[in-house]
Structures are given as C-alpha cells and as structure tokens.
Amino acid sequence: MYIIKNALKSISRSKGRNILIGIIVLVISVSACIGLSIRQAAEKAKDDALDGLTITGTISVDRSSMMNNMTQDSSDSNSFDKNSFAENFTSIDSLSIDEMLTYATLDSVQSFYYTLTVSLNGNDNLEAVSTSSSDSSDSSESSEVPADVPQMNNQQTNGAHGGFEKGSMGTQGDFTVVGYSSDDSMTDFINGTSTITDGEMFSEGTADYDCVISDELAAYNSISVGDTITVLNPNNEDETYELNVVGIYNNSQSTVSNSNMMGGFSTSTDPANQIYLSYNAL
C-alpha cells in the first residue's frame, strides 16, 4: 500500500512529464500491435496462396540436351552425323502408362492425367470445317450453303501434311481425335474455354464410342445429339469406326485460333474439327 501511495504522489507531482510518457508508450504499443497484425495477415495470405497454388508439370524429351550430348560425343565438333541424328531421334519411345503412373504415386502430385491424340478422316457424310480462302471461293458458287456457315475442305490430304509414327511419314486426316484419361485432363472445359451446349459429356473412363463434337461441325453436317458419325483411318480407309455423338460443345477461342492458322494449312488443326472421347475408347 505504501508503494502505491508513493507512485500516485509521483504521478501527481509531474503530470506533464507523465502524460507525455504515457502518450509515447501508447503510440509504441499501438504501432507494435499494428505491425504484428500486418505480419500475421501476410503470413496467412502466403499460406493461403501456397495452398491454392497448382503447378502443372509436363514430361517431355529434352531435345537440346540430346543435341549437346551428340556434339560432345563427336570427335570433330564441326562435323554433324545426319545418320546418327536421325537414329537417335527416331528411336525415342514415349513413356508407357505404367512408367508415368510411377510419378502419379508421389506425395507431391495432386492429380495426374494423360491424353491420346490421333488423326482420322470422315466418310462422305462427315466433312471437315475449313477456313482456307481457296476453298471458300470455290464453295461460294453454291447457293445452298448459308453465308454464316464455315466452308468445308473438299480437297483430300494425301500425305501432304504428314504425321510421324515411329519415324515414318503417314497421311494426316482431317480430324484430330483426342482421348482423355479423366475429367481433370479436359482443361478447356474446366477453365471455361469450351462448354457443352447440347447433350452431355461422355462418362469418365468409359470404353464406349461416345464422343462430343464442336457446334460448328455439327451445324454444317446437320448432326444432332444421338446421331452416329463414321471416322476412318486415313492410311487404311477400310478401317472405320462409328462414334455416338452424346454432346455438342462450343469453343470460345475457335474464331481466334482459326484466324491465326497458316491460311488453313491443315483442317485437323482447326478447333472446330476436334473430336473428344474417352482415352479407353480411343
């Protein structure tokens, strides 16, 4: 009690000084609280950002490293062995599904998917959308084709564009058919670039020949949900497959992609000519 009385007397004797000290202590305390709050908020924001961060990794061949190794192994740095170059690059095999699944089991991998892509042609009842100026000028003579419908490519691609398979040249078809291992692999539909406008998406992992096609392709060929389309191997036209159209999608970037094509160099690169189905089916 004696100590408290003396403390109160000391405060009352030097009011100005003690008020000033109190203000300084208050300012320091408030500043410290604000600083700690900002630090805590920054730490929380960092943790939330890291939790929501998704990194997409791609497994591919390091061509630059292969070229460097070939140059270092050569006794003459100025010489280039074309045969060795061709042999090394054509002998590259893609990773098998079992090998890639090894990476999928890692704790750092949140999700894992893969796709398969082939090039196929359509039969007489399925024509590919083309944005080439040469085809549009020829097709403009027909009064039966609506002006707002993309024109078709009436030319056959007899190996002019080609596709590599085990180092050999093959005929490239008019359609790019993509098989997806899971719904997660269909990134265009996840981010909203492509959306299903009619019907539904095929079942994940199904082995049925169910597919979705673009609204442009469906409009030109008068295809509706529930119809069947026939595709064939461009290198063997006797090899045909019937696909059931279960959905029709719209690609919001198809117009931009078409304008950037090399004059309609290949109809298979046109987004309108992409057909999607399950990896197991493909």
Side-chain angles (χ1 to χ4, degrees):
M1 192 68 182
Y2 177 76
I3 297 177
I4 296 176
K5 289 182 178 180
N6 287 339
L8 293 176
K9 290 180 180 180
S10 178
I11 294 174
S12 62
R13 283 198 298 266
S14 304
K15 294 182 179 180
R17 182 192 64 182
N18 292 329
I19 291 174
L20 181 60
I21 293 175
I23 294 174
I24 294 174
V25 171
L26 178 63
V27 171
I28 294 175
S29 301
V30 172
S31 301
C33 291
I34 294 175
L36 292 174
S37 299
I38 293 175
R39 179 177 179 181
Q40 185 177 3
E43 291 290 340
K44 188 177 184 302
K46 183 183 73 173
D47 293 339
D48 292 341
L50 291 176
D51 291 339
L53 179 64
T54 301
I55 300 175
T56 301
T58 303
I59 302 175
S60 60
V61 177
D62 191 346
R63 297 173 64 93
S64 299
S65 179
M66 292 183 63
M67 290 291 297
N68 292 333
N69 292 336
M70 291 174 59
T71 304
Q72 293 175 0
D73 294 340
S74 176
S75 58
D76 185 1
S77 59
N78 294 326
S79 63
F80 185 81
D81 190 348
K82 294 183 179 180
N83 294 329
S84 177
F85 173 83
E87 181 179 354
N88 288 336
F89 277 92
T90 56
S91 62
I92 299 175
D93 292 328
S94 300
L95 293 177
S96 66
I97 298 299
D98 291 337
E99 289 173 332
M100 287 189 288
L101 286 174
T102 303
Y103 295 94
T105 58
L106 298 176
D107 295 336
S108 57
V109 177
Q110 181 180 5
S111 63
F112 174 79
Y113 57 82
Y114 45 89
T115 61
L116 177 65
T117 304
V118 298
S119 182
L120 298 175
N121 274 335
N123 64 352
D124 295 336
N125 297 323
L126 181 64
E127 296 181 276
V129 176
S130 174
T131 55
S132 62
S133 57
S134 59
D135 291 333
S136 60
S137 61
D138 295 338
S139 302
S140 62
E141 300 176 359
S142 175
S143 59
E144 298 179 358
V145 180
D148 58 341
V149 175
Q151 304 304 311
M152 300 296 105
N153 182 7
N154 297 323
Q155 299 178 351
Q156 297 296 325
T157 55
N158 297 321
H161 311 311
F164 289 102
E165 181 178 358
K166 294 297 184 182
S168 61
M169 184 73 71
T171 302
Q172 181 173 339
D174 293 331
F175 298 94
T176 297
V177 183
V178 185
Y180 292 96
S181 65
S182 65
D183 292 341
D184 292 338
S185 60
M186 307 187 73
T187 55
D188 284 348
F189 291 88
I190 294 176
N191 60 30
T193 301
S194 298
T195 55
I196 296 293
T197 57
D198 190 13
E200 60 185 6
M201 182 61 67
F202 51 82
S203 300
E204 182 177 11
T206 180
D208 297 334
Y209 290 176
D210 295 336
C211 70
V212 295
I213 63 175
S214 69
D215 51 1
E216 297 179 50
L217 184 62
Y220 188 84
N221 290 276
S222 300
I223 300 173
S224 302
V225 172
D227 291 345
T228 300
I229 58 176
T230 302
V231 292
L232 51 90
N233 184 350
N235 297 287
N236 179 12
E237 295 188 354
D238 294 331
E239 182 182 343
T240 63
Y241 302 92
E242 292 186 351
L243 306 179
N244 303 315
V245 179
V246 297
I248 295 174
Y249 71 90
N250 172 266
N251 187 339
S252 61
Q253 295 184 351
S254 61
T255 302
V256 177
S257 299
N258 290 344
S259 63
N260 292 333
M261 288 174 57
M262 298 173 60
F265 178 74
S266 173
T267 57
S268 62
T269 61
D270 193 322
N273 296 324
Q274 292 185 353
I275 302 174
Y276 303 141
L277 71 165
S278 168
Y279 173 88
N280 292 333
L282 188 55

